[in-house]
């Protein structure tokens, strides 16, 4: 099955409503240093297509319960570089339109602006992840992803077309992206909902972070050593995390934007992931 229930691992801190997920591609070429998919997808930074995806997907959609949302995507970005040429995600959206599927789209790319014509006819909400609006820092963290500026410009275009829009500021990295949080928030002040999440490390992402940001990790890693291990991830100490989340929530809510947190054991309203924006 290509359409699968979200979070098959039943993560202890996941508060997402019942929804499904579809990864159009296997792997993601954005190459984000902090990425978690390298812990379970072989050659995770190499993008591959899926055999007979559209044919099999259409069979699954015929039986799909249309009350539920399909999210694109949480393991592999639906808009890798090769999507510009292949257009597979665009064809998937065409199937969603045909079968009246509710869709939650999340990406670190600006390629989705090409598909605004289809997205504006779907029951969907479109979101981007922006870790920081500092272009230099973003390039170091997400070397192959389009710039935050390009993503934000594309999302504004989507909103202008009448599509509900949201964002993730994720991960928040103390001593690094957290310093830019207000600027990032100001650049995203036009969205309806923002989800935040602090940096959670697995052994593979920890190694990459140490290799790329040795001075930062000299300050950061001692905090993780004092923190928690939850579901295979290293978490920051709870009180330290909660202090960041409380401040993030205050700044988001005072701008008239609803707030969500992801796998933090903290509150969200009215949903953690922005799924409340998807029309019924």
């Amino acid at each position: 099955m290509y359409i699968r229930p979200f979070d098959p691992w039943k993560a202890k801190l996941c508060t997402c409503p019942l929804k499904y997920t579809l990864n159009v591609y296997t792997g993601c070429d954005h190459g984000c240093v902090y990425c978690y998919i390298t812990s379970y997808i072989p050659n995770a930074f190499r993008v591959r297509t899926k055999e007979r995806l559209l044919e099999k997907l259409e069979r699954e959609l015929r039986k799909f319960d249309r009350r539920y949302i399909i999210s694109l995507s949480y393991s592999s970005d639906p808009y890798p570089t090769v999507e510009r040429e292949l257009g597979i995600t665009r064809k998937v959206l065409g199937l969603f339109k045909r079968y009246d599927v509710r869709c939650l789209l999340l990406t670190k790319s600006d390629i989705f602006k090409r598909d605004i014509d289809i997205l504006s006819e779907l029951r969907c909400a479109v979101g981007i992840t922006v870790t920081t609006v500092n272009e230099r820092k973003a390039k170091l963290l997400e070397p192959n992803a389009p710039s935050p500026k390009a993503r934000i410009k594309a999302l504004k275009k989507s909103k202008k077309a009448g599509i509900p829009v949201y964002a993730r500021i994720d991960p928040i990295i103390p001593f690094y992206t957290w310093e830019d949080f207000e600027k990032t928030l100001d650049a995203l002040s036009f969205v309806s909902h923002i989800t935040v999440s602090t940096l959670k490390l697995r052994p593979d992402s920890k190694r990459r972070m140490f290799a790329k940001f040795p001075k930062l990790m000299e300050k950061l890693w001692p905090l993780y050593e004092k923190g928690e291990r939850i579901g295979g991830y290293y978490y920051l100490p709870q009180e330290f995390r909660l202090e960041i989340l409380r401040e993030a929530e205050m700044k988001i809510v005072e701008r008239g934007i609803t707030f969500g947190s992801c796998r933090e054991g903290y509150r969200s309203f009215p949903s953690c992931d922005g799924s409340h924006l998807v029309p019924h």
Side-chain angles (χ1 to χ4, degrees):
M1 298 289 287
Y2 284 136
I3 302 170
R4 296 178 180 175
F6 177 67
D7 191 28
W9 302 285
K10 306 293 179 197
K12 178 174 143 184
L13 295 181
C14 181
T15 54
C16 281
L18 176 59
K19 63 183 177 184
Y20 291 79
T21 187
L22 167 68
N23 289 288
V24 177
Y25 294 90
T26 299
C28 178
D29 64 353
H30 292 158
C32 303
V33 181
Y34 52 78
C35 187
Y36 56 85
I37 69 168
T38 51
S39 63
Y40 61 91
I41 297 179
N43 301 311
F45 293 153
R46 184 171 65 83
V47 176
R48 286 90 81 194
T49 56
K50 297 188 173 183
E51 187 181 352
R52 295 165 55 212
L53 169 72
L54 297 168
E55 176 191 333
K56 291 177 181 177
L57 177 60
E58 183 157 18
R59 280 206 300 267
E60 292 177 29
L61 288 175
R62 286 185 194 125
K63 301 173 186 175
F64 185 71
D65 188 333
R66 285 159 186 74
R67 288 176 300 171
Y68 298 115
I69 286 170
I70 298 177
S71 55
L72 299 178
S73 315
Y74 289 118
S75 287
S76 302
D77 197 296
Y79 289 98
T81 309
V82 73
E83 170 63 17
R84 290 186 192 277
E85 295 172 29
L86 298 183
I88 298 172
T89 295
R90 182 174 175 85
K91 289 170 186 168
V92 166
L93 293 175
L95 286 175
F96 282 4
K97 180 183 167 187
R98 186 184 308 168
Y99 289 94
D100 192 26
V101 171
R102 301 176 70 219
C103 171
L104 190 66
L105 189 144
L106 181 67
T107 180
K108 270 197 194 98
S109 179
D110 64 333
I111 301 173
F112 70 91
K113 66 186 178 187
R114 176 202 65 192
D115 298 336
I116 285 174
D117 59 333
I118 299 178
L119 290 165
S120 62
E121 296 179 347
L122 283 176
R123 293 191 292 161
C124 76
V126 173
I128 57 168
T129 298
V130 179
T131 313
T132 172
V133 286
N134 182 303
E135 297 285 339
R136 182 186 62 82
K137 289 180 184 178
K139 190 68 179 171
L140 289 169
L141 284 167
E142 304 154 356
N144 304 323
S147 72
K149 196 174 189 177
R151 296 174 224 171
I152 292 166
K153 188 176 177 183
L155 197 65
K156 283 182 175 175
K157 197 173 176 184
S158 299
K159 181 171 183 178
K160 198 172 178 183
I163 301 165
V165 296
Y166 68 103
R168 288 182 73 110
I169 303 177
D170 172 21
I172 291 173
I173 305 174
F175 315 125
Y176 200 63
T177 64
W178 182 229
E179 295 173 356
D180 312 320
F181 186 78
E182 287 226 50
K183 286 182 182 175
T184 304
L185 195 49
D186 286 342
L188 292 166
S189 60
F190 63 95
V191 305
S192 299
H193 182 79
I194 290 178
T195 300
V196 302
S197 184
T198 57
L199 176 66
K200 302 163 184 66
L201 293 166
R202 295 183 77 105
D204 51 334
S205 55
K206 173 194 164 188
R207 284 192 296 273
R208 289 195 300 272
M209 287 292 291
F210 263 106
K212 191 84 174 266
F213 304 100
K215 287 185 179 176
L216 170 64
M217 291 303 288
E218 276 176 28
K219 290 171 72 176
L220 206 47
W221 183 246
L223 286 170
Y224 283 92
E225 288 184 308
K226 294 175 192 169
E228 306 166 90
R229 287 293 299 273
I230 304 172
Y233 289 87
Y234 295 96
Y235 273 66
L236 290 163
Q238 187 181 53
E239 193 45 50
F240 188 83
R241 285 191 294 114
L242 293 180
E243 190 180 321
I244 288 173
L245 294 167
R246 281 192 288 264
E247 190 174 339
E249 179 185 24
M250 179 191 72
K251 291 177 186 302
I252 288 167
V253 170
E254 71 186 10
R255 285 167 170 79
I257 302 167
T258 58
F259 170 85
S261 63
C262 181
R263 303 189 187 209
E264 294 284 2
Y266 190 73
R267 59 183 166 262
S268 300
F269 181 80
S271 70
C272 57
D273 59 353
S275 54
H276 63 281
L277 297 173
V278 180
H280 285 273

